[in-house]
Amino acid sequence: MKMSQNNSDKDASNNKTISLPISRVRLIMKSSPDVSSINQDALFLTTKATELFVQHLALSSFNNGSGKDNNTLSYSDLASTAEETEIFHFLTDILPKKILARDYLKSLEQMQEEEADN
Amino acid sequence: MDGDSSTTDASQLGITGEYMASGHYVLQSQDDDGEESLNDHEDGGIKENFREQDIYLPIANVARIMKNAVPQTGKAMKGEKGMPGVSVGESLGEELTDDSFTNPLPAGIITADGQQQNVMVYTTSYQQIPAVQQIQFS
């Protein structure tokens, strides 16, 4: 396994190591009522796939959002990506966009005014 | 997985409807009393309550994965590690100014142009303001 920093970025997807606890992944898989026993390989693959997904989401959100600007991944980047990128649409309920209560109340007032006018 | 209470409704079972037609009943472990709370959904009928740290992946591991995925970031803010409903004001320092609004309000609002936009309403302080709490989403 290569030890240099540059190569480890490329190898991250290809190596056989995983960062997530297998026992926890098994617990989550078993929480689905249709699942009884889980093959060891299937468990490993699911764990690895989850890890790759997290990488994909993080990187997509980073590139999609502030990215080059302030070198920071923020929640709003994730929420935007969930809304704008089709493959992440299933996350829109989990990662909703945030609005200041003040702005929400303002738009609510505008709505009420429009209704009053009609 | 719907909240429908009729466990023997063949249309819900899809292909197993064929078996239902003969009059034999399939034992279901799922408790279909219409409740869709997170705990019931998790264990399919056994009334065991899991703590938040038991049903989610460890945030430290996820944080590490995210950090290594993103090229050389200065910082990753605490609120973005995939936990729903977290970060009231934590990750939004630059956007918060004054205000005495309260805890996060329910998600999902209808904006001025009539389109339903899925948002999570958050606030910037922890004082209670009853008027805000009573706002109904139509």
Side-chain angles (χ1 to χ4, degrees):
Chain A
M1 193 160 107
K2 296 180 185 176
M3 301 301 275
S4 66
Q5 185 61 31
N6 289 336
N7 287 323
S8 70
D9 287 338
K10 228 184 256 179
D11 282 347
S13 303
N14 300 329
N15 64 22
K16 298 190 179 73
T17 63
I18 51 177
S19 303
L20 299 169
I22 289 197
S23 54
R24 183 66 57 82
V25 174
R26 181 191 284 119
L27 183 70
I28 295 171
M29 288 173 83
K30 286 179 93 66
S31 73
S32 174
D34 299 328
V35 173
S36 53
S37 62
I38 302 171
N39 179 291
Q40 194 69 15
D41 292 336
L43 180 58
F44 177 82
L45 279 174
T46 304
T47 307
K48 187 65 184 175
T50 307
E51 191 179 311
L52 291 174
F53 175 78
V54 171
Q55 287 174 3
H56 187 39
L57 176 62
L59 191 56
S60 299
S61 303
F62 182 77
N63 292 330
N64 191 22
S66 43
K68 311 153 214 140
D69 306 336
N70 52 8
N71 235 11
T72 305
L73 177 66
S74 67
Y75 176 85
S76 58
D77 294 334
L78 293 172
S80 297
T81 302
E83 193 171 292
E84 294 160 18
T85 308
E86 198 172 325
I87 60 166
F88 294 126
H89 276 352
F90 74 100
L91 292 171
T92 48
D93 286 341
I94 300 175
L95 298 172
K97 291 199 170 181
K98 296 188 187 179
I99 182 175
L100 276 172
R102 172 183 60 226
D103 295 335
Y104 161 72
L105 288 173
K106 202 181 298 177
S107 86
L108 188 66
E109 275 173 24
Q110 283 173 352
M111 262 172 57
Q112 289 167 347
E113 280 168 24
E114 282 172 20
E115 277 176 37
D117 291 338
N118 293 338
Chain B
M1 277 297 192
D2 319 306
D4 196 329
S5 58
S6 63
T7 61
T8 57
D9 182 6
S11 63
Q12 285 190 35
L13 301 175
I15 194 171
T16 57
E18 297 168 26
Y19 294 95
M20 298 304 295
S22 67
H24 295 127
Y25 291 102
V26 176
L27 277 177
Q28 294 209 4
S29 60
Q30 187 167 358
D31 184 29
D32 285 309
D33 58 2
E35 280 190 352
E36 285 283 344
S37 74
L38 177 63
N39 291 328
D40 290 342
H41 194 272
E42 284 291 311
D43 53 41
I46 306 166
K47 299 293 182 190
E48 211 181 321
N49 288 328
F50 288 106
R51 300 169 300 168
E52 190 176 274
Q53 58 262 43
D54 294 335
I55 60 178
Y56 292 145
L57 296 171
I59 196 170
N61 299 49
V62 177
R64 194 176 351 123
I65 294 170
M66 289 179 79
K67 192 158 191 291
N68 291 334
V70 176
Q72 289 180 337
T73 54
K75 47 188 173 169
M77 296 185 165
K78 187 170 159 59
E80 303 74 34
K81 290 159 194 169
M83 288 187 69
V86 172
S87 72
V88 179
E90 268 183 296
S91 63
L92 301 152
E94 69 275 10
E95 295 177 74
L96 307 179
T97 52
D98 50 15
D99 279 335
S100 49
F101 292 104
T102 67
N103 298 327
L105 299 173
I109 72 167
I110 298 182
T111 55
D113 61 5
Q115 280 228 320
Q116 177 144 25
Q117 186 180 16
N118 195 20
V119 297
M120 179 162 72
V121 183
Y122 70 91
T123 61
T124 63
S125 87
Y126 297 97
Q127 293 173 348
Q128 293 292 325
I129 297 195
V132 170
Q133 300 280 333
Q134 285 163 16
I135 292 172
Q136 297 294 323
F137 293 89
S138 55

